[in-house]
């Protein structure tokens, strides 16, 4: 079967980048993946001043709103780097938090889909035929963690 997720309070909400699972990346703690992802949009851009403001946002919704202000300049290479940036953050999230790692691993080989009605890049979009890059990232991270665990078993 396919597992659809979107809002934090819905089933499999821990797969949402808005879930309250903090990550340490390059020495900085980010309250959610969303805070980190939105802040990375502005690295080395003329609006980099907004990065600490996004970092300090009280909620992921606020972080996303700050990161989506259309009058701010995104880093020039954003479309080239955003998928890798997202994968780094999602991998760190599930390596950090054992409880949600178990939830992810227990999904077996099910297809994971971010059921976003508006986002056809990270989610499936309204027509359900979007690129689902967040779902693909989660399935890739699930596989990588399984591989890491299999190595641990060998060397224990
Ligand atoms: N889960 C979720 C959203 N989806 C998230 O928004 C991010 C994409 O943002 P952007 O690149 O600015 O369009 C990405 O992390 C995606 O998973 N958006 C929301 O407004 N609410 C939500 O609950």
């Amino acid at each position: 079967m396919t597992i659809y997720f979107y809002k934090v309070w819905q089933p499999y909400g821990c797969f949402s980048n808005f879930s309250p699972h903090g990550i340490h990346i390059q020495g900085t703690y980010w309250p959610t993946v969303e805070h980190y992802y939105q802040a990375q949009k502005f690295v080395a851009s003329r609006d980099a001043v907004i990065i600490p403001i996004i970092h300090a946002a009280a909620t992921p919704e606020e972080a996303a709103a700050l990161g989506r202000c259309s009058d701010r300049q995104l880093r020039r290479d954003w479309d080239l780097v955003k998928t890798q940036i997202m994968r780094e953050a999602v991998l760190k999230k599930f390596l950090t938090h054992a409880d949600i790692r178990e939830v992810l691993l227990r999904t077996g080989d099910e297809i994971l889909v971010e059921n976003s009605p508006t986002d056809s890049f990270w989610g499936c979009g309204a027509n359900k035929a979007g690129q689902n890059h967040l779902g693909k990232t989660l399935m890739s991270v699930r596989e990588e963690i399984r591989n890491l665990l299999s190595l641990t078993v060998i060397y224990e």
Side-chain angles (χ1 to χ4, degrees):
M1 94 184 179
T2 296
I3 294 174
Y4 288 93
F5 67 93
Y6 188 46
K7 292 298 184 185
V8 174
W9 58 84
Q10 293 170 334
Y12 293 100
C14 66
F15 293 165
S16 164
N17 292 326
F18 284 40
S19 76
H21 296 97
I23 53 174
H24 284 276
I25 291 195
Q26 289 145 18
T28 301
Y29 177 79
W30 299 86
T32 69
V33 165
E34 194 65 21
H35 283 77
Y36 175 73
Y37 168 84
Q38 294 294 345
Q40 298 312 299
K41 289 179 174 178
F42 304 100
V43 168
S45 96
R46 72 161 184 263
D47 285 319
V49 67
I50 195 174
I51 291 172
I53 298 170
I54 293 175
H55 181 264
T59 65
E61 287 81 0
E62 189 183 324
L66 286 164
R68 291 171 179 165
C69 289
S70 54
D71 60 351
R72 294 205 173 97
Q73 183 200 60
L74 302 184
R75 59 191 284 178
R76 296 159 65 90
D77 60 350
W78 181 239
D79 284 334
L80 295 176
V81 298
K82 65 185 179 181
T83 306
Q84 184 51 39
I85 283 173
M86 180 68 87
R87 190 179 192 290
E88 175 194 17
V90 172
L91 175 60
K92 193 65 186 270
K93 171 179 171 179
F94 287 91
L95 288 176
T96 303
H97 301 279
D99 54 343
I100 60 172
R101 180 164 65 246
E102 279 314 302
V103 174
L104 179 62
L105 293 172
R106 281 201 205 108
T107 60
D109 292 323
E110 301 296 358
I111 295 174
L112 308 178
V113 177
E114 183 186 45
N115 198 19
S116 169
T118 54
D119 188 338
S120 59
F121 180 85
W122 293 112
C124 61
N127 66 3
K128 299 277 188 268
Q131 297 178 69
N132 184 41
H133 281 293
L134 180 59
K136 288 170 182 167
T137 298
L138 283 160
M139 290 183 277
S140 165
V141 163
R142 177 176 70 187
E143 188 59 30
E144 180 163 352
I145 291 175
R146 282 193 181 127
N147 293 339
L148 290 170
L149 287 172
S150 66
L151 286 175
T152 310
V153 167
I154 292 168
Y155 287 105
E156 244 168 14

